[in-house]
Amino acid sequence: MAFANAWLLWTSLSIMSGVLGVFFLIRTLSLTPSTKLSIFGSILLFVYYPTLGNVSLGQVSLFLLPLMVLGWRELRHEREWAAGIWLGLLIGFKPFFAILLPGLVIQKRIAAVSASTAAIGVTVAAGYAIFGAEAYAHYAILAKDVTWNGTNWNGSWAGLVERFISGRAESTYPQGSAVARAWSLGLSLATLSLTYYVLQRRKDEQHHDAELKADTLIALGIPTALLVSPLGWAYYFPLLVVSMLIAWRRTDALPRRREWRLMLLIPVALTVAPITIKNSPRPENPSIWWGIDSVYFYALAIFFVCCVALHLKRHTTSRM
């Protein structure tokens, strides 16, 4: 297939996946499905700058959206085997979402973990059968030699630390790179620990509430995965729409609802404006690591903190 035709096919499938994800979101939120609502939701999704970045770069974020929403929906309805299959396919595409599996264990959703593990095994076996072992070996080699973590579109801890450490003298950069990896690993482990702490703390309260358990896992899991993975790129930010809707609905029962919602809108405001992608910083291409070059990290971190704070509060009313 010619490149132009392949690009057109891929882009069309990506857009259709995004629209399908919006439709599933509407159904999961128990809103009345309608053509107008689906079109309006799709327009909002596609005018969001990270979504445009995803489409223009041919990334897979929009293919992941329906899988994430379906996994969340099945968890809310206590259909754990179905949820596990959808989440397993998601993790098969992007392994950094495997951070959801310990969360499922904490919530004692063992059937979902088993189904996810099986689905992951199927995706790995399918990839091996189609592309061969050489593809996995090549990917492993490539992953060891990533030089673009510090680009301004990387909103993860790894991106932030890389931008801070790099851009110094070339003679010290190899050591600086090792320091960056150590710091980003430590910060990522701390973030994971906080997420699992919230899930553990709310486990007993949510024991008989499948919807609340699913909402807490997914609302925290998506921003956590993007923060702790070195691949927390801005073009994965469209997936945060799921966490945003959960968090937004959770503010319904809070006394300071407007203030909470204003806080949730800050990350959106930080990421709607077009920001040109820049190369990783080097001495000849320094980064303003604490400023505009880290705006995606700030947006992700603020949103993560809001989700943690919201889910540490004891749930009272408000259902989706």
Side-chain angles (χ1 to χ4, degrees), residues 15 17 28 51 71 74 80 195 246 260:
I15 292 172
S17 294
T28 304
T51 306
E74 298 306 304
E80 294 193 15
T195 295
I246 295 171
W260 279 107

Side-chain angles (χ1 to χ4, degrees), residues 82-190:
I85 291 171
W86 291 119
L87 294 177
L89 293 174
L90 171 77
I91 295 167
F93 275 111
K94 287 298 171 183
F96 58 80
F97 282 110
I99 64 104
L100 294 172
L101 295 180
L104 290 170
V105 172
I106 291 172
Q107 294 185 337
K108 297 183 179 180
R109 293 180 181 264
I110 305 305
V113 175
S114 301
S116 290
T117 303
I120 293 168
V122 169
T123 60
V124 172
Y128 184 88
I130 296 171
F131 301 108
E134 295 79 10
Y136 287 97
H138 180 72
Y139 182 85
I141 294 171
L142 181 65
K144 293 179 181 179
D145 194 31
V146 172
T147 59
W148 52 86
N149 275 346
T151 180
N152 62 326
W153 273 28
N154 191 340
S156 68
W157 282 117
L160 178 74
V161 176
E162 180 82 5
R163 286 187 292 273
F164 171 63
I165 296 292
S166 60
R168 310 286 196 268
E170 289 288 357
S171 59
T172 64
Y173 181 72
Q175 292 79 16
S177 181
V179 171
R181 285 195 296 271
W183 270 99
S184 62
L185 177 61
L187 291 167
S188 295
L189 289 174

Side-chain angles (χ1 to χ4, degrees), residues 18-81:
V19 174
L20 193 61
V22 170
F23 175 76
F24 289 147
L25 268 173
I26 292 170
R27 295 292 299 270
T28 304
L29 294 172
S30 300
L31 301 176
T32 303
S34 70
T35 302
K36 290 183 179 180
L37 186 57
S38 297
I39 292 174
F40 180 68
S42 298
I43 290 173
L44 287 180
L45 177 66
F46 284 97
V47 298
Y48 183 48
Y49 183 66
T51 306
L52 297 176
N54 169 84
V55 174
S56 64
L57 292 175
Q59 292 296 327
V60 300
S61 176
L62 294 179
F63 290 101
L64 304 179
L65 182 59
L67 299 177
M68 180 67 78
V69 176
L70 287 171
W72 170 45
R73 185 181 71 179
E74 298 306 304
L75 283 175
R76 298 182 95 236
H77 293 290
E78 296 188 277
R79 296 191 283 261
E80 294 193 15
W81 283 98

